[in-house]
Amino acid sequence: MKKVLLTLVFAFAINTLSAQNEKIETKPTGFNQWSVEISGGFNKPQRPMTTGYYTTVVSPYTVDLGIRYMFNNKFGLKGDFGFNSFTEEEGSMPFDTKYYRADLQGVVNLGRIMSFETWTKTFGLLGHAGFGLSFLERKDPTYLKDRMGNFMVGVTGQIKLTDRIALTGDFTTITNAKQNVAFDGESKASILGFNGSLFTGTAGITVYLGSNVKHADWTVDNEDRFDAIDARFMAIESKMQDTDKDGVADYLDEEENTPAGSMVDTKGRSLDKNNNGVPDETEAYVLKNYAANTSTTNSPLLSNNELIRSLINGGYVAVYFDFDKSKPTNVSTEGIDFMLTYLRNNPTASIDIVGHADEIGRSAYNDKLSNARADNVKNTLVKANIEASRLNIIAAGEDTSVDIDSENARKLVRRVTFRVK
């Protein structure tokens, strides 16, 4: 607990100093900064307690009201008022005392610091620590009161319901300084300093105030920039048509009028990636005739198996899949047809069928998905009377070569490629 306390106090101190020197960073716009919090639950006074006086393991009647202001999406201040009621458990001497407190605390958004946004947009975590004043009161049988200082530290879990409301669960430790009377009010405390100890556990609700859509609790650094990027990608969706039927969407296609049957790269440009000196048009002709006309086996172009092999091993023949699917898209069947023709014309050849997946989801799941995609292509070829012994499946798993935040880029890596052995 001491390490947590020092971390919270140090982090808040650093932020306060930074706020004095970097006004732009500590007074951001675009999100709400105020919130109101109310919670209730249980408490457990630890010490001091008079011999023969004790409460239940978990005593009810704890209420906390607070208002919070966030300087940015990581640090803020919170003022709160708390009320606790202490009564005896069965077997204890009877007592009834009330405990009031008012505190000013520093708040650290641990969810943002630990990048919760990388795996959830619903759950959050706050840390808080601060100082205040406390008041212990007993009315019967005689009136008694005790004033003291307090120090408190705790953590608050959050569940976001809407942009305006979040559920909370909090655990807090309160330590009283110079508590002169036991929590039951029946004896004097014999130890000065931080001698009082109290635990509270509460559940509550946070209401976010302000005219912006989101509160600082749920705002991610550079979120506006990423939202703008996502908006541009959404606009691109309308350009996903493939006018020249080269397998590359128009918005990525730098050669929008590629002749039908031409081999292209991921930007729709005619290929000569293997630098074999064969013009792109010739390679397109080879592909067209090799895949579509198996009877013209005497064509001199079809005798160049090395060219065909380089195209396959270079990844230019591929089968594509929709998100989280192991069945190829309708436009991807030409890649399977090409490989079927190649294997029929080369009965001694065998191939690796390499499955890929994008980075969304758990790695173990994506490994299975890439294997399922490769297995689906293999089964299609086996049903077309290609011997299974000629087909080797490789699950390549996640392809990390593209930006994970780009939906359209991820479409290009959800595929199966081939390697001729």
Side-chain angles (χ1 to χ4, degrees):
M1 183 60 71
K2 290 182 179 179
K3 292 183 178 178
V4 174
L5 167 60
L6 291 174
T7 300
L8 291 173
V9 173
F10 179 74
F12 181 70
I14 293 297
N15 179 72
T16 302
L17 291 174
S18 299
Q20 297 175 358
N21 298 320
E22 301 182 24
K23 294 182 179 180
I24 293 178
E25 293 186 6
T26 57
K27 299 183 71 173
T29 59
F31 54 79
N32 298 319
Q33 294 168 274
W34 290 97
S35 62
V36 176
E37 305 170 355
I38 181 170
S39 60
F42 303 90
N43 62 69
K44 178 61 178 178
Q46 293 292 102
R47 66 178 190 277
M49 294 290 291
T50 305
T51 302
Y53 291 78
Y54 47 89
T55 64
T56 57
V57 175
V58 179
S59 303
Y61 312 122
T62 294
V63 177
D64 187 271
L65 299 173
I67 184 167
R68 178 161 55 89
Y69 178 83
M70 297 298 291
F71 296 112
N72 49 46
N73 67 341
K74 294 185 177 69
F75 301 98
L77 280 176
K78 172 183 177 180
D80 68 317
F81 170 81
F83 166 77
N84 299 73
S85 176
F86 307 129
T87 56
E88 76 279 0
E89 183 186 21
E90 182 178 354
S92 167
M93 298 292 290
F95 66 92
D96 185 0
T97 56
K98 312 297 181 187
Y99 177 84
Y100 308 88
R101 62 170 181 80
D103 294 88
L104 180 64
Q105 303 181 65
V107 179
V108 179
N109 191 343
L110 299 176
R112 295 290 73 77
I113 291 176
M114 294 188 289
S115 300
F116 276 25
E117 62 272 11
T118 59
W119 60 274
T120 180
K121 295 183 179 179
T122 303
F123 297 99
L125 184 66
L126 303 177
H128 57 92
F131 297 88
L133 298 175
S134 303
F135 179 78
L136 182 67
E137 178 185 55
R138 185 193 69 181
K139 293 185 177 180
D140 295 320
T142 58
Y143 183 75
L144 178 148
K145 63 182 180 181
D146 185 20
R147 294 185 179 89
M148 66 205 83
N150 71 65
F151 173 77
M152 63 191 308
V153 60
V155 291
T156 305
Q158 300 170 295
I159 302 176
K160 181 182 178 183
L161 299 182
T162 70
D163 287 328
R164 293 290 175 181
I165 298 175
L167 295 180
T168 60
D170 180 88
F171 178 79
T172 296
T173 297
I174 303 173
T175 303
N176 294 322
K178 296 186 178 180
Q179 182 173 346
N180 298 314
V181 178
F183 281 110
D184 52 80
E186 293 298 327
S187 64
K188 298 289 185 178
S190 59
I191 304 174
L192 298 179
F194 285 94
N195 59 323
S197 178
L198 168 67
F199 299 121
T200 65
T202 60
I205 189 170
T206 296
V207 178
Y208 298 118
L209 309 177
S211 59
N212 293 302
V213 175
K214 291 186 177 182
H215 186 268
D217 287 357
W218 309 99
T219 299
V220 180
D221 291 334
N222 297 320
E223 187 171 29
D224 292 341
R225 179 169 64 86
F226 288 123
D227 286 344
I229 293 174
D230 289 340
R232 288 196 292 270
F233 281 136
M234 290 179 64
I236 288 173
E237 290 289 346
S238 63
K239 300 181 180 180
M240 285 298 295
Q241 296 181 355
D242 182 12
T243 304
D244 56 5
K245 307 299 181 183
D246 62 357
V248 178
D250 288 347
Y251 85 100
L252 291 173
D253 201 337
E254 295 185 2
E255 293 181 11
E256 297 181 358
N257 297 314
T258 304
S262 294
M263 292 294 291
V264 298
D265 63 12
T266 57
K267 294 185 178 181
R269 298 172 300 197
S270 298
L271 295 172
D272 187 15
K273 294 293 185 180
N274 53 7
N275 295 317
N276 61 358
V278 180
D280 295 330
E281 294 80 3
T282 302
E283 293 186 358
Y285 179 81
V286 171
L287 175 62
K288 177 180 178 181
N289 287 275
Y290 196 91
N293 188 358
T294 60
S295 63
T296 58
T297 55
N298 293 326
S299 168
L301 289 174
L302 297 184
S303 64
N304 191 349
N305 269 340
E306 192 61 34
L307 169 61
I308 299 297
R309 181 170 180 163
S310 67
L311 293 174
I312 295 172
N313 292 349
Y316 304 132
V317 179
V319 182
Y320 293 92
F321 299 79
D322 288 329
F323 177 74
D324 198 26
K325 301 296 183 182
S326 59
K327 180 180 179 181
T329 61
N330 292 333
V331 298
S332 293
T333 55
E334 293 180 0
I336 299 178
D337 291 341
F338 181 90
M339 294 308 303
L340 177 59
T341 301
Y342 177 85
L343 291 169
R344 285 173 175 171
N345 288 347
N346 296 271
T348 62
S350 61
I351 62 171
D352 289 331
I353 304 174
V354 186
H356 307 266
D358 61 29
E359 295 182 73
I360 301 300
R362 294 178 291 108
S363 296
Y365 178 83
N366 288 331
D367 290 341
K368 293 180 180 178
L369 180 59
S370 66
N371 186 82
R373 288 170 173 170
D375 190 59
N376 188 301
V377 173
K378 176 182 178 180
N379 290 337
T380 301
L381 294 172
V382 170
K383 289 178 181 178
N385 297 321
I386 301 299
E387 293 180 5
S389 60
R390 300 173 63 191
L391 310 173
N392 178 49
I393 289 178
I394 296 178
E398 296 177 350
D399 188 326
T400 61
S401 63
V402 300
D403 183 2
I404 189 175
D405 294 323
S406 170
E407 179 181 352
N408 294 303
R410 294 196 305 271
K411 291 179 180 179
L412 300 177
V413 298
R414 297 196 291 263
R415 71 196 192 284
V416 163
T417 56
F418 306 91
R419 286 199 297 262
V420 179
K421 297 190 292 184

